[in-house]
Amino acid sequence: MANSSTAAAAAYPLLVQRYGVAGVTPPSSSSTATRVFSLPAMKLLDVNLPEEMRGSSGGGGNTFLETPQGLVLVLMTTSSPPASAFLLDPRDGSRVAELPPLGEGELPAHRRCVLSGRPPEPGCGVLVLDLESPALLFCRVGGERWSRHGYDIGCYDLPEEYCSVPKRKQLFDVAGVGGRFYFAENKGELGTLDFTGGGGGGEAVVGAIAIPVLDYFPAGQVMSSSLTFLVESRGDLFLVAIAFEGYNIGGPYDVHVFRMDFSAAAPGPAWRRATDIGDRAFLVGGDNFSGASCSASGCGVKANRIYWINGFSEDEKRNLYVFSVEDGSVETLDTFEPLPGAPRQTPFWLRSNADGQPGSPAMAYSLPDGKTHDDVSLPEMHSNTFLETPQGWVLVLSSSPTPKTTTTTFLLDPRDGRKVGLPPLDENELPTGRKCVLSDSAPDAGAGVVVLSLQGPAVWFCRVGGERWSTHTYDMGYFSLPDEYCAPKKRHLFDVAGGVGGRFYFCEDKGFSLGTLDFTGDGEPVLGAVAVPGGIDDMFPSPDSSGMRPRTSSSRTATWPPHQFSV
């Protein structure tokens, strides 16, 4: 049963079913609402999409094409003047960028739309792919007209008895990164697509970057076929490969994620395996585009996950698969209820442009008034990676949209957007599970910033006004666990308090000592301990009332020599 929701922005990312075929429409609690499956809510909702998107593309009304960047290309075929085109933000119905006019009849029957970058500033490219032939349409934001182009990327390698006439390849999966389009249709190369001229009337230039052939099927593995999806995320280009046994597209599945390293150093550009995509979720396999990325914390979805709809299996078009990049585990969810009389369709993704627009409203619960607000402005916290601190500041890693990503790192006051600069820190260096703590309540010059790994004994440290971050590992011994429960597991810090005289404190030694963590002027960590007589046992009146067994000793102290840290 779906729930009615007027705050559509809080429900993104969405899966939307293309109803309207053969006159079949879904049930809804509102005549203007659209039935969607919300990833943050993990259930069906009725949301009010902008009026420009009602009526469906292909079923009368305006034509609209969703993009991986969260904006929607709309052709206003029902208004005057006809064929006006623009980019729409589906959250609030605002027109983000005007485009040259384009008639519905000029579009191919089967198409996809991709932008060359975000946000869509003047000069940004808008690409519409023909999915049935090697042709495309292109214009620029601020340009004068759309241009149509053909291209040649070779022919499919098909047996002659299967296809006697050579069939030319066409683009299905294109990602826009830093103003350039990329595709991966041929083994051993990464295709590039550029357009000359600034007004939209230039030429399409197809190129290629030589890369090693990507082979993710281990020797002896039975899986031999795969589906691949290109994903742009914070200025980086990723490839998601979902492999399956033989040609059995119904599963089981194996997921692989790779990040393109554009480095010119030997051995040159290549796909590098990614076992952690951080505070991101990738959306792949929808009916409208191949792959998109969103901020997990900003959108309320699970981090380090791949959300996939299998549009190739008739039996699974309603199933949503959620893969963990870290361990490969998968969760299967049933999304849309079967609708009698309607054909099975692959839902399309509709992701919010909010994580690409700093300062876009977010939903939040306010403790002072005890109410939920859906219009809270959180500057710089939608498109970027951010870590909250107990001191009220937010550590933000802001990536620039270029093929070689550069990161600006700073502390942010979320109330007024005030910033305190820090040395740059690449999100790919950080683990998925992490916490951030400051050594002082106010980030003045010299204040320490610590990022803890919650998955192992490692910390990252810098000072306000410092030149770089330093990475350290440490040794606190092992957790006391039965051998039959698990292999020896190293202890690591989960709970550290800062803001107490410039020092960090922790309590990981069962209450017998209060651990201290200091950093020298050169950034070297020094662990110490303050003895706590009696330990944590003194908190409980007696073993009988608490149910706890008395400790055999209550006088030991712990020492943490500095050499137990390493860089």
Side-chain angles (χ1 to χ4, degrees):
M1 185 69 179
N3 295 329
S4 179
S5 172
T6 57
Y12 284 77
L14 308 175
L15 273 171
V16 187
Q17 190 72 282
R18 292 193 192 277
Y19 290 107
V21 178
V24 179
T25 57
S28 173
S29 60
S30 168
S31 60
T32 60
T34 300
R35 176 67 53 85
V36 304
F37 184 84
S38 166
L39 264 62
M42 278 296 171
K43 61 184 178 182
L44 290 169
L45 299 174
D46 293 332
V47 301
N48 293 316
L49 296 178
E51 184 178 354
E52 292 86 347
M53 296 177 61
R54 296 174 193 163
S56 173
S57 60
N62 299 321
T63 296
F64 61 90
L65 286 75
E66 310 81 12
T67 74
Q69 290 78 14
L71 299 175
V72 178
L73 170 63
V74 177
L75 275 61
M76 289 288 287
T77 56
T78 60
S79 65
S80 180
S84 63
F86 55 89
L87 293 174
L88 176 85
D89 186 338
R91 295 180 352 122
D92 56 14
S94 61
R95 296 193 182 193
V96 177
E98 297 294 330
L99 300 175
L102 180 65
E104 161 70 22
E106 301 177 65
L107 288 176
H110 295 91
R111 59 262 179 150
R112 283 179 176 169
C113 184
V114 186
L115 308 182
S116 66
R118 52 176 164 172
E121 299 172 341
C124 174
V126 182
L127 179 67
V128 177
L129 298 173
D130 186 338
L131 302 183
E132 297 180 324
S133 68
L136 54 85
L137 291 166
F138 177 79
C139 81
R140 294 189 186 277
V141 174
E144 299 175 356
R145 65 182 182 89
W146 291 80
S147 55
R148 183 177 178 84
H149 306 269
Y151 55 86
D152 187 356
I153 56 174
C155 295
Y156 291 105
D157 185 15
L158 299 172
E160 188 173 350
E161 60 272 17
Y162 176 77
C163 183
S164 58
V165 179
K167 180 174 175 56
R168 292 175 64 185
K169 290 183 177 180
Q170 70 253 21
L171 298 175
F172 290 94
D173 186 10
V174 172
V177 184
R180 194 177 210 186
F181 296 102
Y182 294 91
F183 59 93
E185 294 294 335
N186 297 320
K187 292 183 177 180
E189 63 183 37
L190 177 67
T192 62
L193 178 61
D194 299 280
F195 292 86
T196 63
E203 295 298 320
V205 180
V206 176
I209 300 173
I211 58 174
V213 175
L214 187 60
D215 184 8
Y216 40 82
F217 296 110
Q221 182 170 322
V222 296
M223 292 182 174
S224 59
S225 303
S226 66
L227 301 171
T228 58
F229 308 93
L230 290 178
V231 181
E232 179 277 331
S233 179
R234 301 173 189 170
D236 281 326
L237 179 63
F238 288 84
L239 183 141
V240 176
I242 298 176
F244 42 88
E245 295 182 4
Y247 295 96
N248 181 18
I249 57 177
Y253 307 107
D254 192 15
V255 64
H256 306 268
V257 181
F258 303 88
R259 182 177 68 88
M260 173 52 62
D261 180 0
F262 285 97
S263 173
W271 291 111
R272 314 292 185 195
R273 185 176 292 274
T275 58
D276 189 338
I277 60 174
D279 182 41
R280 293 181 257 211
F282 291 168
L283 317 175
V284 300
D287 181 50
N288 48 347
F289 51 72
S290 290
S293 171
C294 67
S295 164
S297 58
C299 294
V301 298
K302 293 182 179 180
N304 208 26
R305 296 294 194 276
I306 308 296
Y307 290 81
W308 175 53
I309 284 287
N310 184 358
F312 289 86
S313 174
E314 287 297 321
D315 295 331
E316 301 186 12
K317 286 186 176 180
R318 294 197 319 271
N319 288 348
L320 174 64
Y321 295 90
V322 186
F323 294 100
S324 168
V325 178
E326 181 179 12
D327 59 22
S329 60
V330 59
E331 179 183 5
T332 305
L333 303 171
D334 191 14
T335 55
F336 289 93
E337 304 159 348
L339 187 62
R344 293 196 174 186
Q345 303 169 327
T346 303
F348 67 86
W349 291 108
L350 197 58
R351 61 170 293 272
S352 172
N353 188 47
D355 57 338
Q357 294 292 329
S360 298
M363 177 171 285
Y365 181 83
S366 170
L367 268 62
D369 62 14
K371 296 179 180 179
T372 298
H373 302 268
D374 60 5
D375 58 352
V376 178
S377 178
L378 298 175
E380 308 284 354
M381 292 172 61
H382 286 285
S383 60
N384 303 314
T385 296
F386 60 90
L387 286 77
E388 310 84 356
T389 74
Q391 290 78 16
W393 292 80
V394 179
L395 174 64
V396 178
L397 281 62
S398 175
S399 299
S400 62
T402 59
K404 186 175 181 180
T405 303
T406 57
T407 302
T408 302
T409 307
F410 52 88
L411 291 172
L412 173 79
D413 186 335
R415 299 174 305 165
D416 55 17
R418 187 159 46 104
K419 300 178 184 178
V420 175
L422 296 174
L425 178 63
D426 188 347
E427 188 210 348
N428 295 316
E429 300 176 23
L430 296 178
T432 305
R434 60 249 181 156
K435 282 183 179 178
C436 184
V437 187
L438 307 184
S439 66
D440 299 85
S441 57
D444 297 325
V449 184
V450 163
V451 177
L452 298 173
S453 170
L454 303 183
Q455 299 166 301
V459 297
W460 286 256
F461 176 79
C462 81
R463 292 190 186 277
V464 175
E467 297 179 355
R468 67 182 182 89
W469 288 80
S470 54
T471 307
H472 310 273
T473 58
Y474 55 90
D475 188 356
M476 295 174 55
Y478 291 86
F479 290 105
S480 180
L481 299 171
D483 292 341
E484 62 271 18
Y485 180 73
C486 72
K489 181 175 177 59
K490 281 194 170 186
R491 293 169 62 189
H492 54 275
L493 298 173
F494 288 92
D495 188 13
V496 171
V500 186
R503 197 178 215 185
F504 297 97
Y505 293 91
F506 59 92
C507 188
E508 296 291 339
D509 193 37
K510 299 182 181 178
F512 286 100
S513 65
L514 179 64
T516 62
L517 175 59
D518 298 280
F519 289 86
T520 66
D522 295 332
E524 293 298 318
V526 180
L527 278 167
V530 179
V532 182
I536 201 170
D537 285 343
D538 292 346
M539 295 174 61
F540 300 94
S542 67
D544 294 335
S545 63
S546 67
M548 294 187 68
R549 183 174 58 189
R551 297 190 184 274
T552 57
S553 171
S554 60
S555 61
R556 67 187 178 98
T557 59
T559 58
W560 308 96
H563 69 263
Q564 289 185 304
F565 262 99
S566 61
V567 179

